[in-house]
Amino acid sequence: MSEGDSKNTHFGYKTVDSEKKADLVADVFHSVAAKYDIMNDVMSFGIHRLWKRHTIETAAARPGMNILDLAGGTGDLTAKFSRIVGETGNVVLADINDSMLKVGRSKLRDKGIVNNVSYVQANAEALPFPDNHFDIITIAFGLRNVTDKAKALRSMQRVLKPGGKLLVLEFSKPKHDVMRKIYDLYSFKVLPKMGQVITQDADSYEYLAESIRMHPDQDTLKQMMEDAGLEQVDYTNMTDGVVALHRGFKF
């Protein structure tokens, strides 16, 4: 059964009406948008940059490609892709949250990244793009916030070109008990306090920790991608599975 078949879904550990989740998630990101980059560096000790670098390398983008950076937030991946695809390529930075889009657009323009990047406010479950449109789609740390993940994956598969690839970078499940215990302690005790100090918002970071625990594990997400029509799906664990990069192709 798809998540969308039920009237209820998860918002962290809470059960909420499916129609209300998008607004609740939006409130979280409206709250943290201005300090989003700072919090990413602090809470991951800068390691998020290595996770994203591996994603860029795995994408293997080339000049002239058309790329969708979905849930692209403040544009870290978009900035890298923009330089790779060059003047003949195009990168779409899409996010459901207008606060995040505004921060991303301002950040990229400050870096002089203008000509080959466009911005679209879009819901991952119903992407406003033609079939067979993108060479590469990335979604980094965004899928867990989507209400109906299966529907979103089908939407991504639809707008991929034949031969195109989808990369899903997301928090996942640590493989070893010691790491799981350390990660739980950090997530539920330290992270909300960081959020309170830096953004004056502990609740949003409590949601972050809870949403990670409710997200499908590596093998479940792999199966979901295959069910959405993607092929040759595999994944790479990073930092003992705290984060996983899933890759799937459309043929």
Side-chain angles (χ1 to χ4, degrees):
M1 184 177 72
S2 168
E3 295 154 294
D5 294 334
S6 171
K7 291 182 179 179
N8 294 324
T9 189
H10 295 290
F11 177 72
Y13 287 162
K14 300 181 182 73
T15 299
V16 299
D17 189 305
S18 294
E19 294 182 358
K20 294 180 180 178
K21 179 172 178 175
D23 289 337
L24 292 168
V25 171
D27 288 342
V28 169
F29 285 93
H30 287 313
S31 173
V32 304
K35 298 287 183 67
Y36 186 78
D37 285 335
I38 295 171
M39 275 299 294
N40 274 352
D41 278 328
V42 171
M43 71 185 187
S44 74
F45 306 102
I47 299 172
H48 76 99
R49 297 176 185 273
L50 300 179
W51 298 332
K52 290 172 181 173
R53 183 186 303 168
H54 182 67
T55 303
I56 295 290
E57 291 169 354
T58 302
R62 300 188 303 276
M65 279 189 164
N66 192 23
I67 297 176
L68 172 61
D69 181 14
L70 185 57
T74 57
D76 286 349
L77 294 183
T78 294
K80 302 286 188 185
F81 282 134
S82 171
R83 296 186 180 101
I84 294 169
V85 303
E87 294 180 1
T88 59
N90 182 62
V91 185
V92 176
L93 171 55
D95 202 292
I96 196 171
N97 188 278
D98 66 311
S99 294
M100 295 293 286
L101 270 181
K102 287 172 182 173
V103 171
R105 183 169 57 230
S106 176
K107 176 179 163 184
L108 294 183
R109 286 179 175 175
D110 285 347
K111 291 182 176 182
I113 299 171
V114 179
N115 294 333
N116 63 355
V117 174
S118 53
Y119 302 88
V120 176
Q121 187 171 358
N123 186 333
E125 296 175 24
L127 293 171
F129 306 109
D131 295 357
N132 308 315
H133 189 63
F134 293 103
D135 298 289
I136 297 168
I137 299 175
T138 58
I139 179 166
F141 306 114
L143 185 61
R144 73 180 186 282
N145 296 312
V146 174
T147 303
D148 191 334
K149 298 173 185 63
K151 187 176 180 182
L153 289 168
R154 292 194 299 271
S155 186
M156 292 177 223
Q157 193 271 353
R158 177 185 65 79
V159 302
L160 266 180
K161 291 179 181 178
K165 72 183 78 167
L166 168 64
L167 298 173
V168 181
L169 179 65
E170 189 54 89
F171 293 110
S172 201
K173 302 294 186 286
K175 305 314 293 178
H176 296 95
D177 286 340
V178 172
M179 178 60 88
R180 277 195 289 270
K181 289 174 182 175
I182 293 171
Y183 188 45
D184 281 346
L185 179 66
Y186 174 73
S187 297
F188 291 105
K189 300 298 183 183
V190 179
L191 194 57
K193 290 179 181 176
M194 284 184 180
Q196 182 61 43
V197 170
I198 296 173
T199 68
Q200 288 73 56
D201 183 357
D203 290 346
S204 290
Y205 288 92
E206 287 177 7
Y207 161 73
L208 169 66
E210 294 174 1
S211 70
I212 291 168
R213 299 318 187 276
M214 300 305 296
H215 186 68
D217 65 18
Q218 288 90 327
D219 289 323
T220 302
L221 180 54
K222 178 176 183 286
Q223 184 63 55
M224 290 174 69
M225 290 174 67
E226 291 170 348
D227 292 343
L230 293 153
E231 300 180 47
Q232 294 183 12
V233 180
D234 59 16
Y235 63 83
T236 302
N237 284 321
M238 292 179 276
T239 318
D240 195 55
V242 168
V243 164
L245 177 63
H246 283 69
R247 176 179 60 174
F249 295 85
K250 177 178 177 177
F251 296 120

